[in-house]
Amino acid sequence: MEKGTLVEFRLGSERRLAVVERPEGKKHWIATDNRGQSHTLHPRQITYEVEGTYKPTDITPFLKEIQPYLDPSNLEIAWEFLAEDGEAADPAKMALLLFSDQAPPLSYAAHCLLSEDKLYFKLKGDRYEPRPQAQVSELKHQLEMEAQRQQEWQSFLARVEESLAGKPVEWQPSDRPRLDALERFATFGEEATHRAPALETLLHLKRSETSQAAFQLLVEMGLWSAHENLALRRSQIPVHFPPRVLDVAHHCLTSPPPDLNADRLDLTHLKVYTIDDESTLEIDDGLSLEYLEDGVQRLWIHIADPTRWLSPGDELDLEARRRITTLYLPTGMISMFPAELATGPMSLVQGRVCCALSFSVILSPEGAVQDYSIYASLIKATYRLTYDDVDEMLELGVQAESELEAIARWAKRRQTWRQSQGAISIHMPESSIKVYNDEITIQVLNDSMARQLVAEMMILAGEVAARYGQAHNLPIPFRNQPQPELPSEEELLQLPSGPVRSCAIRRCMPRSELSITPARHASLGLDTYTQVTSPIRRYSDLLSHFQIKAHLRGAPLPFSAEAVKELILSISSAAYEAVLVERQTNRYWGLEFLRRNADEIWDALMLRWLREHENLGLVLLEDLGMELPMRFTRPVTPGDRLELKVSHADPRQDIIHFQEMMYQEAQAKS
């Protein structure tokens, strides 16, 4: 290489030109660029040599001279010409093809085009080969897709900025993958899949790359509520019904399917009481009492019959199987069936003739089942009552409703009989948390006469259904519970009666299980039991209805024993997940209620130790029916009464800290 040679080299990613001045050592050269800056270059760093002799002051005019020839679209013409023969070209030959001249500036312009090209040519040695047609087409497609992606990315960012500024935004289908990525990251954090788009968005917006930042961004964009239910999002529970299921539900309303039980027993002459909370929309049970000629009283427990509107394996059934249960959350319910069916023809609506599965039961004077029958029936609900209505009626002894008083008496006898059979009663306060227009209300559910009445009648229907299934060898989901190992009578008597003692018993109770084999249910005191009273909102109950109704009409059972076993597995898993979501959601809103009412002082009861060596106990806020952990700073004993105030609550992080008021005051005085 001679002094005055114009060479190209790379400085980082930048293409630079310099004129060779002199050798440096055995292999290097000193070259000066158009800024007068010297560079020590190894031959490997030099990417092109321009013919001729130059001075550093020639570089700027040289670059200006080649500028008009650097149009990449020119290469396509040369590629079409060379690709026919598969002929390679060096920069000089390419200059001749493109510009009909091989002058040094034009050859260098051709080199620039070829070295930057990623589409038509590939370097092999010191020459450039034309790529095959198929490869060029694929590369063009990739470039177009990348250009489209960049355009969509910029448009997406513009819409994000608009939403953050509080402007209305119409999100595009192309935005969905990025929004989904943000939602997944906000929901699952480091365990989220496909996090890259979410991290890219957060990075561009100069926000921390954390799940909390993703959550906050979604809230600020108006896509999520500040109280977004992450427990529900983490679950597999479907929130919306597919259009095809809604279409089937609507078709049921306009064109009801034929009733397989055309010979239903007409019980519309009976007075039927439905008893629920005021907010209940799915009315799935009703009660009647019939006076027989011989003075015997017959109890009727009518259960809604949703199987009238669907068949095993159809769209409605499969969707119900996917959901397994209706989810009851403070913000509303997520139904197992579409609402127009669940709260309409499936429910026992007052004043309307409804299909039901009716359990006829005659009890012994002690409360044991003496005789029973089950019928596919027609009923007409006479009264739509709340628990408060029934409590008031029973307390006042309303003469016109002697049937209701008689049902209450049988319920009491029934409860006494079950206790004689070993039933284990656990009375712990329960609460109902409701959120409406961001206002939180918490109501403690009293264990009233009306609630006990309904509970006993539902347990009775469950025993009758299980007896029927056992007698006829039907594979239905029997519910059983192993006998618990309870504390000794002496140990229990040492604990205060009420919630503290019930809490000690409750923690010893094993979980109930589903099986196609009947077995004892310990806490209910029954030798066999199944759940059949909520078929609109529990798939296990619906499954029993399918089986029992088919047997009643002499038809083949829709589900084999093996099929029921498989369904039980999915029922158990999904029901556990639903309970978990309900529990976590109630916990969140309970803590949010306490956070908003941090100045309140709450009467509390110390229930038991969670980890005594860490001074961590479980307390019951009696006015709210809420059980929460508390770390004590003094010796306490289960049964101690406390006055507590919230010192810190963070529902999103599931954190609650209390301070004990009287103890704090005593400490301050001392």
Side-chain angles (χ1 to χ4, degrees), residues 487-497 500-501 504-505:
S488 67
E489 191 71 23
E490 184 181 352
E491 288 176 287
L492 288 175
L493 288 173
Q494 290 176 358
L495 297 171
S497 60
V500 175
R501 194 177 295 173
I505 295 172

Side-chain angles (χ1 to χ4, degrees), residues 330-607:
T331 49
M333 72 176 187
I334 300 172
S335 181
M336 190 171 79
F337 288 109
E340 58 182 344
L341 279 180
T343 62
M346 285 184 176
S347 283
L348 304 182
V349 180
Q350 181 183 10
R352 185 186 299 171
V353 175
C354 303
C355 295
L357 189 64
S358 294
F359 296 78
S360 159
V361 190
I362 295 175
L363 297 176
S364 70
E366 296 76 26
V369 174
Q370 185 172 296
D371 187 33
Y372 72 85
S373 300
I374 306 176
Y375 303 95
S377 65
L378 293 173
I379 67 161
K380 190 174 184 179
T382 316
Y383 296 112
R384 164 80 161 94
L385 303 174
T386 66
Y387 291 110
D388 290 340
D389 293 336
V390 174
D391 282 329
E392 186 177 351
M393 292 166 73
L394 293 175
E395 286 171 10
L396 294 175
V398 178
Q399 296 296 318
E401 303 302 331
S402 60
E403 294 93 340
L404 193 59
E405 286 190 302
I407 294 171
R409 285 194 298 271
W410 282 115
K412 190 64 180 173
R413 287 187 203 176
R414 178 74 183 160
Q415 185 182 43
T416 303
W417 177 82
R418 285 196 305 105
Q419 288 173 342
S420 73
Q421 302 302 303
I424 301 167
S425 298
I426 300 174
H427 299 291
M428 293 294 294
E430 292 183 27
S431 59
S432 171
I433 303 178
K434 301 289 184 186
V435 180
Y436 184 72
N437 286 341
D438 200 46
E439 183 180 342
I440 310 168
T441 58
I442 300 181
Q443 178 188 6
V444 177
L445 304 177
N446 297 316
D447 194 15
S448 67
M449 288 187 291
R451 291 186 186 276
Q452 291 175 19
L453 179 159
V454 172
E456 284 300 330
M457 291 299 104
M458 297 307 105
I459 293 169
L460 176 57
E463 182 190 0
V464 168
R467 282 191 176 203
Y468 185 89
Q470 186 173 12
H472 299 286
N473 199 29
L474 302 183
I476 59 175
F478 294 96
R479 186 168 285 278
N480 55 73
Q481 185 184 44
Q483 193 67 31
E485 293 184 15
L486 297 178
S488 67
E489 191 71 23
E490 184 181 352
E491 288 176 287
L492 288 175
L493 288 173
Q494 290 176 358
L495 297 171
S497 60
V500 175
R501 194 177 295 173
S502 289
C503 185
I505 295 172
R506 183 185 63 186
R507 63 182 304 209
C508 299
M509 299 302 295
R511 186 182 296 172
S512 63
E513 300 169 345
L514 292 178
S515 169
I516 63 168
T517 306
R520 180 171 171 77
H521 195 293
S523 63
L524 295 181
L526 299 177
D527 291 332
T528 184
Y529 177 69
T530 188
Q531 289 178 309
V532 290
T533 57
S534 298
I536 304 176
R537 53 191 177 92
R538 276 197 306 250
Y539 193 81
S540 58
D541 301 40
L542 188 77
L543 182 54
S544 293
H545 276 233
F546 273 131
Q547 300 288 77
I548 291 170
K549 280 182 62 184
H551 188 267
L552 285 172
R553 64 176 180 267
L557 298 183
F559 298 96
S560 67
E562 283 304 312
V564 175
K565 279 184 183 178
E566 288 181 16
L567 282 169
I568 281 175
L569 289 175
S570 61
I571 287 169
S572 301
S573 173
Y576 176 76
E577 184 177 41
V579 167
L580 205 59
V581 169
E582 287 179 341
R583 188 178 298 155
Q584 290 172 343
T585 307
N586 276 290
R587 166 97 168 193
Y588 174 89
W589 284 106
L591 296 189
E592 176 63 14
F593 179 86
L594 290 171
R595 187 190 69 78
R596 296 183 187 185
N597 294 274
D599 293 334
E600 290 284 337
I601 296 174
W602 306 101
D603 291 329
L605 183 66
M606 184 352 185
L607 291 176

